[in-house]
Amino acid sequence: MKAKAIESYLVEHIDKLDYVIDDVVSKIPDNYFYQPEINLGVLFQKRQQLITLRSKMYSFAYHNDKNVKVVYNKSLSEYNDMLSELVSEKRSSWKKSLMASSDEEKVAFLSLMIYKYNLLKRLRVYR
């Protein structure tokens, strides 16, 4: 049932696949783009630092140390900014590579992503 609805949506908008790609890629959850970079290099080290700072923040020895909380909040903000930048770069890269793909590849990708993330109700209707 769901697959038929997705298929009919894509058939209806076959001449506007580039717009649909833009819409679908923008609605894919951010965490889809985290792998594998989130477990490597700077992001992994930053996450380990956050874990250490958080445990310090809640330990009895550092309970009254306001500096730990300030450092934690600053590190968390930096980490979130790094993740946002990673997602933005990957989304842009995906859009470019998909735009250069054949129509069959575009439809296959769109079908998969729309089905996997239940996006059909959230997609625009192009006239």
Side-chain angles (χ1 to χ4, degrees):
M1 181 78 173
K2 190 169 149 180
K4 289 278 188 195
I6 293 170
E7 183 180 329
S8 65
Y9 175 84
L10 291 174
V11 167
E12 183 180 330
H13 296 92
I14 196 74
D15 57 334
K16 295 174 179 66
L17 282 181
D18 291 343
Y19 294 115
V20 176
I21 286 172
D22 190 45
D23 198 19
V24 168
V25 171
S26 68
K27 287 182 171 85
I28 295 174
D30 287 352
N31 64 358
Y32 182 81
F33 298 99
Y34 292 166
Q35 297 295 337
E37 290 85 356
I38 197 166
N39 294 320
L40 304 171
V42 178
L43 287 171
F44 180 76
Q45 292 170 352
K46 185 64 85 173
R47 196 167 65 252
Q48 294 303 317
Q49 178 189 17
L50 286 168
I51 291 169
T52 303
L53 286 169
R54 186 158 195 249
S55 65
K56 276 186 180 181
M57 229 170 40
Y58 292 110
S59 74
F60 183 73
Y62 293 93
H63 185 67
N64 290 327
D65 190 356
K66 305 257 189 257
N67 188 41
V68 174
K69 189 170 185 173
V70 169
V71 171
Y72 175 80
N73 289 334
K74 182 180 177 192
S75 294
L76 182 61
S77 177
E78 290 172 0
Y79 181 72
N80 287 332
D81 290 344
M82 291 166 71
L83 285 177
S84 295
E85 185 178 321
L86 172 68
V87 169
S88 176
E89 289 173 4
K90 281 191 159 183
R91 274 189 210 277
S92 175
S93 173
W94 268 43
K95 285 179 189 176
K96 287 177 187 174
S97 66
L98 284 169
M99 297 292 182
S101 301
S102 68
D103 284 347
E104 292 83 20
E105 291 171 336
K106 290 177 184 179
V107 169
F109 170 79
L110 290 170
S111 298
L112 178 67
M113 290 296 133
I114 292 170
Y115 185 83
K116 184 175 182 179
Y117 293 108
N118 201 22
L119 299 175
L120 189 59
K121 293 178 184 174
R122 296 175 39 209
L123 293 176
R124 293 181 56 192
V125 176
Y126 301 96
R127 305 252 174 223

